[in-house]
Amino acid sequence: NAGVTQTPKFQVLKTGQSMTLQCAQDMNHEYMSWYRQDPGMGLRLIHYSVGAGITDQGEVPNGYNVSRSTTEDFPLRLLSAAPSQTSVYFCASSKRETYYNEQFFGPGTRLTVL
Amino acid sequence: EDQVTQSPEALRLQEGESSSLNCSYTVSGLRGLFWYRQDPGKGPEFLFTLYSAGEEKEKERLKATLTKKESFLHITAPKPEDSATYLCAVQAAGSARQLTFGSGTQLTVLP
Protein backbone atom coordinates (compact mmCIF):
# COMPACT_ATOMS: atom_id res chain seq x y z
CA ASN A 1 0.00 0.00 0.00
CA ALA A 2 1.23 3.46 -0.90
CA GLY A 3 -1.08 4.99 1.75
CA VAL A 4 -1.98 8.63 1.11
CA THR A 5 -0.11 10.29 -1.74
CA GLN A 6 -0.05 13.97 -2.62
CA THR A 7 1.26 15.80 -5.67
CA PRO A 8 3.01 18.06 -6.22
CA LYS A 9 5.36 18.25 -3.24
CA PHE A 10 6.22 21.89 -3.91
CA GLN A 11 4.48 24.55 -5.97
CA VAL A 12 4.97 28.26 -6.61
CA LEU A 13 2.08 30.27 -8.04
CA LYS A 14 1.50 33.86 -8.94
CA THR A 15 -1.46 35.73 -7.50
CA GLY A 16 -4.60 34.96 -9.51
CA GLN A 17 -3.42 31.66 -10.92
CA SER A 18 -5.43 28.51 -10.36
CA MET A 19 -4.23 25.00 -9.66
CA THR A 20 -5.28 21.61 -8.33
CA LEU A 21 -3.57 19.76 -5.50
CA GLN A 22 -3.91 16.03 -5.97
CA CYS A 23 -4.61 13.51 -3.22
CA ALA A 24 -5.09 9.76 -3.57
CA GLN A 25 -5.37 6.86 -1.15
CA ASP A 26 -5.31 3.13 -1.77
CA MET A 27 -6.75 1.95 1.55
CA ASN A 28 -10.42 2.10 0.51
CA HIS A 29 -11.09 4.73 3.19
CA GLU A 30 -14.47 6.45 3.16
CA TYR A 31 -13.38 9.67 4.85
CA MET A 32 -10.96 12.13 3.31
CA SER A 33 -10.01 15.64 4.43
CA TRP A 34 -7.87 18.59 3.45
CA TYR A 35 -6.00 20.65 6.04
CA ARG A 36 -3.68 23.61 5.86
CA GLN A 37 -0.86 24.11 8.34
CA ASP A 38 0.50 27.56 9.07
CA PRO A 39 3.23 28.47 11.58
CA GLY A 40 1.83 29.05 15.05
CA MET A 41 -1.74 28.21 14.03
CA GLY A 42 -1.99 24.45 13.94
CA LEU A 43 -3.80 22.39 11.35
CA ARG A 44 -7.10 23.79 10.09
CA LEU A 45 -9.74 21.83 8.19
CA ILE A 46 -10.56 23.18 4.73
CA HIS A 47 -12.98 20.63 3.27
CA TYR A 48 -13.85 17.02 3.93
CA SER A 49 -15.72 14.14 2.32
CA VAL A 50 -17.53 11.20 3.88
CA GLY A 51 -17.73 9.26 0.63
CA ALA A 52 -17.81 9.53 -3.14
CA GLY A 53 -20.10 12.33 -4.23
CA ILE A 54 -20.38 13.87 -0.74
CA THR A 55 -18.32 16.86 0.42
CA ASP A 56 -18.69 19.53 3.08
CA GLN A 57 -16.94 22.65 4.30
CA GLY A 58 -14.54 22.79 7.19
CA GLU A 59 -13.23 25.72 9.18
CA VAL A 60 -11.51 27.67 6.36
CA PRO A 61 -13.17 26.79 3.01
CA ASN A 62 -13.07 30.17 1.24
CA GLY A 63 -11.03 30.17 -1.96
CA TYR A 64 -11.00 26.38 -2.27
CA ASN A 65 -13.17 23.83 -4.07
CA VAL A 66 -13.29 20.06 -3.78
CA SER A 67 -15.01 17.16 -5.45
CA ARG A 68 -15.04 13.42 -4.80
CA SER A 69 -15.92 11.40 -7.86
CA THR A 70 -14.17 8.23 -6.66
CA THR A 71 -13.32 6.71 -3.28
CA GLU A 72 -9.61 6.99 -4.04
CA ASP A 73 -9.22 10.61 -5.12
CA PHE A 74 -9.95 13.93 -3.42
CA PRO A 75 -8.45 16.91 -5.33
CA LEU A 76 -8.32 20.41 -3.86
CA ARG A 77 -8.72 23.30 -6.30
CA LEU A 78 -7.48 26.82 -5.70
CA LEU A 79 -9.66 29.05 -7.82
CA SER A 80 -7.62 32.27 -7.82
CA ALA A 81 -4.52 32.00 -5.67
CA ALA A 82 -3.79 34.69 -3.09
CA PRO A 83 -0.67 35.22 -0.93
CA SER A 84 -2.80 34.30 2.12
CA GLN A 85 -3.01 30.77 0.71
CA THR A 86 0.73 30.27 1.11
CA SER A 87 0.83 27.24 3.41
CA VAL A 88 1.52 23.55 3.70
CA TYR A 89 -1.47 21.46 2.65
CA PHE A 90 -2.15 17.99 4.01
CA CYS A 91 -4.64 15.42 2.82
CA ALA A 92 -5.84 12.76 5.26
CA SER A 93 -8.02 9.67 5.11
CA SER A 94 -9.62 7.24 7.52
CA LYS A 95 -12.11 4.43 7.75
CA ARG A 96 -15.69 5.39 8.50
CA GLU A 97 -15.81 3.70 11.87
CA THR A 98 -12.49 5.10 13.05
CA TYR A 99 -12.84 8.58 11.64
CA TYR A 100 -10.49 10.37 13.96
CA ASN A 101 -8.73 7.54 15.70
CA GLU A 102 -6.58 6.61 12.77
CA GLN A 103 -6.37 9.43 10.30
CA PHE A 104 -3.57 8.76 7.83
CA PHE A 105 -1.92 11.89 6.53
CA GLY A 106 -0.11 12.39 3.25
CA PRO A 107 3.37 13.95 3.04
CA GLY A 108 2.03 17.43 2.26
CA THR A 109 2.26 20.02 -0.51
CA ARG A 110 4.18 23.20 0.23
CA LEU A 111 2.54 26.04 -1.70
CA THR A 112 3.93 29.54 -2.14
CA VAL A 113 1.82 32.27 -3.72
CA LEU A 114 3.73 35.32 -4.88
CA GLU B 1 -15.17 28.61 20.53
CA ASP B 2 -13.01 25.52 21.02
CA GLN B 3 -9.40 26.25 21.88
CA VAL B 4 -6.26 24.17 22.29
CA THR B 5 -3.05 25.56 23.75
CA GLN B 6 0.15 23.54 23.86
CA SER B 7 3.16 24.30 26.01
CA PRO B 8 6.01 24.71 25.84
CA GLU B 9 6.39 25.73 22.20
CA ALA B 10 9.81 24.10 22.13
CA LEU B 11 11.62 21.73 24.48
CA ARG B 12 15.20 20.51 24.43
CA LEU B 13 16.09 17.45 26.49
CA GLN B 14 19.17 15.38 27.00
CA GLU B 15 18.83 11.72 26.11
CA GLY B 16 17.30 9.96 29.12
CA GLU B 17 15.91 13.16 30.65
CA SER B 18 12.18 12.57 31.21
CA SER B 19 9.66 15.40 30.84
CA SER B 20 6.05 16.23 29.99
CA LEU B 21 4.28 18.19 27.29
CA ASN B 22 1.06 20.01 28.11
CA CYS B 23 -2.15 20.42 26.13
CA SER B 24 -4.78 22.69 27.68
CA TYR B 25 -8.18 22.75 26.06
CA THR B 26 -11.49 24.56 26.18
CA VAL B 27 -14.33 22.73 24.51
CA SER B 28 -18.07 22.51 24.90
CA GLY B 29 -18.18 18.86 25.81
CA LEU B 30 -15.20 16.71 24.92
CA ARG B 31 -15.77 13.89 22.48
CA GLY B 32 -12.11 12.97 22.17
CA LEU B 33 -8.56 14.27 22.57
CA PHE B 34 -5.89 13.15 20.12
CA TRP B 35 -2.11 13.18 20.08
CA TYR B 36 -0.12 13.13 16.84
CA ARG B 37 3.60 13.11 16.09
CA GLN B 38 4.94 15.10 13.14
CA ASP B 39 8.46 14.74 11.74
CA PRO B 40 9.95 17.57 9.65
CA GLY B 41 8.62 17.60 6.10
CA LYS B 42 6.07 14.86 6.81
CA GLY B 43 2.41 14.57 7.70
CA PRO B 44 1.21 13.95 11.25
CA GLU B 45 1.19 10.38 12.54
CA PHE B 46 -1.51 9.25 14.96
CA LEU B 47 -0.39 8.31 18.49
CA PHE B 48 -3.31 8.22 20.96
CA THR B 49 -6.97 8.94 21.54
CA LEU B 50 -8.31 9.77 25.02
CA TYR B 51 -12.03 10.02 25.70
CA SER B 52 -12.59 10.73 29.38
CA ALA B 53 -10.85 12.24 32.40
CA GLY B 54 -8.60 9.77 34.16
CA GLU B 55 -7.86 7.77 31.03
CA GLU B 56 -4.25 6.88 30.20
CA LYS B 57 -2.64 5.39 27.10
CA GLU B 58 0.94 4.17 26.65
CA LYS B 59 3.18 3.45 23.70
CA GLU B 60 6.85 2.69 24.19
CA ARG B 61 8.33 5.72 26.00
CA LEU B 62 5.18 7.81 25.68
CA LYS B 63 2.23 8.00 28.04
CA ALA B 64 -0.76 10.27 27.53
CA THR B 65 -3.08 11.29 30.36
CA LEU B 66 -6.29 13.31 30.44
CA THR B 67 -8.02 15.55 32.96
CA LYS B 68 -11.09 17.72 32.49
CA LYS B 69 -9.00 20.70 31.37
CA GLU B 70 -5.73 19.34 30.02
CA SER B 71 -3.75 16.43 28.73
CA PHE B 72 -0.13 15.54 29.32
CA LEU B 73 2.22 13.61 27.12
CA HIS B 74 4.88 12.13 29.36
CA ILE B 75 8.14 11.08 27.74
CA THR B 76 10.23 8.69 29.81
CA ALA B 77 13.95 8.36 29.10
CA PRO B 78 13.67 9.88 25.64
CA LYS B 79 15.97 9.01 22.76
CA PRO B 80 17.08 11.22 19.85
CA GLU B 81 14.58 9.45 17.59
CA ASP B 82 11.78 10.87 19.74
CA SER B 83 12.64 14.31 18.37
CA ALA B 84 9.57 15.63 16.52
CA THR B 85 6.69 18.05 16.85
CA TYR B 86 3.87 16.70 18.98
CA LEU B 87 0.37 17.90 18.13
CA CYS B 88 -2.72 17.80 20.30
CA ALA B 89 -6.27 18.05 18.93
CA VAL B 90 -9.78 17.95 20.39
CA GLN B 91 -13.16 17.06 19.01
CA ALA B 92 -16.18 18.70 20.60
CA ALA B 93 -19.28 16.68 21.37
CA GLY B 94 -21.37 18.81 19.02
CA SER B 95 -18.85 18.72 16.19
CA ALA B 96 -19.35 15.74 13.97
CA ARG B 97 -16.33 16.23 11.78
CA GLN B 98 -14.04 18.97 12.94
CA LEU B 99 -10.90 18.75 15.02
CA THR B 100 -9.30 21.75 16.65
CA PHE B 101 -5.52 21.43 16.67
CA GLY B 102 -2.97 23.09 18.89
CA SER B 103 0.15 24.60 17.34
CA GLY B 104 2.37 21.85 18.70
CA THR B 105 5.45 21.36 20.87
CA GLN B 106 8.73 20.92 19.06
CA LEU B 107 10.79 18.38 20.99
CA THR B 108 14.52 17.98 20.48
CA VAL B 109 16.35 15.17 22.27
CA LEU B 110 20.10 15.59 22.29
CA PRO B 111 22.43 12.57 22.39
Side-chain angles (χ1 to χ4, degrees), chain A residues 23-39:
Chain A
C23 173
Q25 53 91 8
D26 61 358
M27 298 172 283
N28 202 31
H29 285 172
E30 294 89 351
Y31 290 128
M32 295 186 75
S33 305
W34 276 102
Y35 293 87
R36 59 178 290 173
Q37 187 173 39
D38 302 294

Side-chain angles (χ1 to χ4, degrees), chain A residues 52-110:
Chain A
I54 306 170
T55 64
D56 206 347
Q57 296 181 351
E59 180 184 357
V60 288
N62 293 341
Y64 307 95
N65 271 359
V66 292
S67 61
R68 184 105 178 263
S69 57
T70 67
T71 300
E72 296 77 20
D73 301 299
F74 191 43
L76 178 72
R77 283 181 286 276
L78 279 69
L79 309 173
S80 178
S84 60
Q85 293 179 304
T86 294
S87 187
V88 182
Y89 291 84
F90 289 100
C91 179
S93 74
S94 64
K95 293 181 181 179
R96 184 199 313 274
E97 58 273 16
T98 61
Y99 176 54
Y100 287 121
N101 279 4
E102 294 191 50
Q103 274 202 95
F104 293 83
F105 283 82
T109 293
R110 184 174 294 273

Side-chain angles (χ1 to χ4, degrees), chain A residues 9 31 35 37 40-45 48 50 57-59 90 99-103 105-108, chain B residues 1 34 36 38 41-46 48-49 51 87 91 95-104:
Chain A
K9 195 165 179 60
Y31 290 128
Y35 293 87
Q37 187 173 39
M41 298 192 70
L43 286 155
R44 291 181 292 170
L45 183 66
Y48 64 93
V50 299
Q57 296 181 351
E59 180 184 357
F90 289 100
Y99 176 54
Y100 287 121
N101 279 4
E102 294 191 50
Q103 274 202 95
F105 283 82
Chain B
E1 182 179 329
F34 309 87
Y36 284 84
Q38 186 174 22
K42 295 188 176 181
E45 176 185 351
F46 169 77
F48 304 110
T49 308
Y51 294 104
L87 303 173
Q91 182 189 9
S95 174
R97 301 283 178 250
Q98 297 211 24
L99 293 179
T100 301
F101 278 86
S103 54

Side-chain angles (χ1 to χ4, degrees), chain B residues 63-75:
Chain B
K63 183 168 82 172
T65 62
L66 181 64
T67 72
K68 289 187 177 181
K69 292 185 177 181
E70 57 193 349
S71 176
F72 293 94
L73 185 65
H74 307 278
I75 304 175

